[in-house]
Amino acid sequence: MKQPNHPAWIEINIAQFKHNLAVLQQHIGPNTKLCIPVKANAYGHGLVEMARAAVDARVDYLAVSCSQEGVILRKAGINKLPIFVMGAIHIEQIPELIEHDLEFTIASHYKARLVANICKQLQKTVKVHLEVDTGMRRTGVRVATAPLVLDYMSQESCFIVKGVYSHLATSDVPQHPFSKQQIQEFIDFIKTSGLLNNPDIICHLSNSAGVACHPETHLDMVRPGLIAFGYFPRPDIPENLRSIKPCFSIKAKIAYFKSVPAGFGVSYSHTYITAKPTHILTIPIGYGDGLRRSLSNKGMILLNGKRYPMVGTICMDQVMVDIGSDSGYVGDIVTIVGHDNGQQISIEDLSQSCDTIPYEILCGFNDRLPRLYKYSL
Ligand SMILES: *Cc1c(COP(=O)(O)O)cnc(C)c1O
């Protein structure tokens, strides 16, 4: 694999990602479509490349959050699969949604009327999914009004209703009593409105946690994001999904080595003082790349299969590491996330240290870090 000139980079193992997708396809079976969310730069993995890999792996749908992400995918030549824009759209975006054949969410009667007016002016049709709010309380029509909106859309010839969906609010919490209630409410709704097993309408509800732990939510299509990238949203993941693994690692080349006497401060504000004479490495990655500053004096790196602490405050572009009496040579490669000789630093290690979730850590790594795609295991 060709290495980038930039001395810190992300490696993405596409073969592992495709394995994850194959495991999910096996898990949901042939009667449920697989929709892969690639929003937020594919959870930091790179929007276009991950979408291409998902197309190769024969997924059925791609999902993004906003129109802009869908347009990027279409302009990159991803034209065979439906792309579903999940977030709320704005009426100014309708021409580009139509031009690029992007499906989008209708989440209110009001928005449905606005869309219909614009479609009449443009003399175009749109492909939409009606979102029903069953408990997330983010977007979506109430279950009680959903039939009215469906009825309205069936009378307006501009609407091609592709799907009806909802989003789980508590599926990441094992045994949360609300999940059952929410799932039941959605299933009751699609049953009573004749949408269950209706071949023309895709009913979808599951995120990663639903796919893994609530098989009754699989319905016509599932939308697992996090788990497709190799992370588990909750600990009680069934055995058949356990070969799903991350495909994301971060490497950097040592930029500087120095010996520091005891009692010396390191980095801004001297939040770390050496306890004894030691060796300090400088690594060229910082919070300007997405390495969270709250990992200061908490994070670890791997060098030659050993763990060493990040010391002092993390700078915008660099971080220091105390390797004690060991040696490290300028140009040698360290691991910030990933495996090295049987040792591992995971995204979960970082998210726990930062008191957040893997999602936020992953999509925080920005494009200053080049992404290297590896296509074989
Ligand atoms: C982000 C998102 C998903 C994917 O969620 P994961 O927890 O990553 O599986 C599915 N559906 C909607 C509506 C989303 O916004």
Side-chain angles (χ1 to χ4, degrees), residues 98-145:
I98 294 172
E99 183 192 346
H100 296 285
D101 190 23
L102 301 170
E103 301 179 9
F104 58 91
T105 294
I106 293 291
S108 68
H109 200 179
Y110 168 74
K111 193 64 79 56
R113 285 197 307 268
L114 290 178
V115 170
N117 282 340
I118 292 179
C119 286
K120 276 174 204 157
Q121 286 165 27
L122 300 171
Q123 301 196 329
K124 298 277 188 191
T125 58
V126 284
K127 297 175 183 164
V128 298
H129 296 243
L130 177 69
E131 184 184 12
V132 183
D133 181 12
T134 53
M136 180 66 183
R137 323 255 150 74
R138 185 167 67 178
T139 47
V141 294
R142 277 169 292 157
V143 169
T145 33

Side-chain angles (χ1 to χ4, degrees), residues 37 39 43 86 138 165 167 206-209 223-226 359:
K39 59 189 178 179
Y43 294 55
M86 300 186 289
R138 185 167 67 178
Y165 79 106
H167 191 49
S206 268
N207 54 6
S208 293
R223 311 183 304 266
L226 190 74
Y359 300 76

Side-chain angles (χ1 to χ4, degrees), residues 130 192 279:
L130 177 69
T192 52
H279 296 154

Side-chain angles (χ1 to χ4, degrees), residues 322-334:
D322 190 338
I323 58 168
S325 54
D326 291 345
S327 21
Y329 298 91
V330 169
D332 279 1
I333 295 176
V334 303

Side-chain angles (χ1 to χ4, degrees), residues 279-338:
H279 296 154
I280 300 284
L281 302 179
T282 304
I283 310 298
I285 180 171
Y287 63 79
D289 302 287
L291 184 70
R292 296 279 290 265
R293 191 168 172 278
S294 54
L295 290 168
S296 297
N297 290 308
K298 283 192 203 159
M300 306 289 282
I301 63 120
L302 303 175
L303 170 62
N304 302 324
K306 276 181 80 175
R307 302 170 83 83
Y308 298 102
M310 295 177 182
V311 295
T313 46
I314 293 174
C315 309
M316 186 182 288
D317 318 298
Q318 297 165 86
V319 57
M320 273 62 88
V321 171
D322 190 338
I323 58 168
S325 54
D326 291 345
S327 21
Y329 298 91
V330 169
D332 279 1
I333 295 176
V334 303
T335 300
I336 291 118
V337 173

Side-chain angles (χ1 to χ4, degrees), residues 5-27:
N5 279 329
H6 187 69
W9 64 93
I10 292 171
E11 287 180 13
I12 309 285
N13 185 335
I14 293 291
Q16 179 65 52
F17 178 60
K18 288 185 176 173
H19 169 82
N20 296 347
L21 298 180
V23 171
L24 290 169
Q25 279 161 334
Q26 187 74 33
H27 178 68

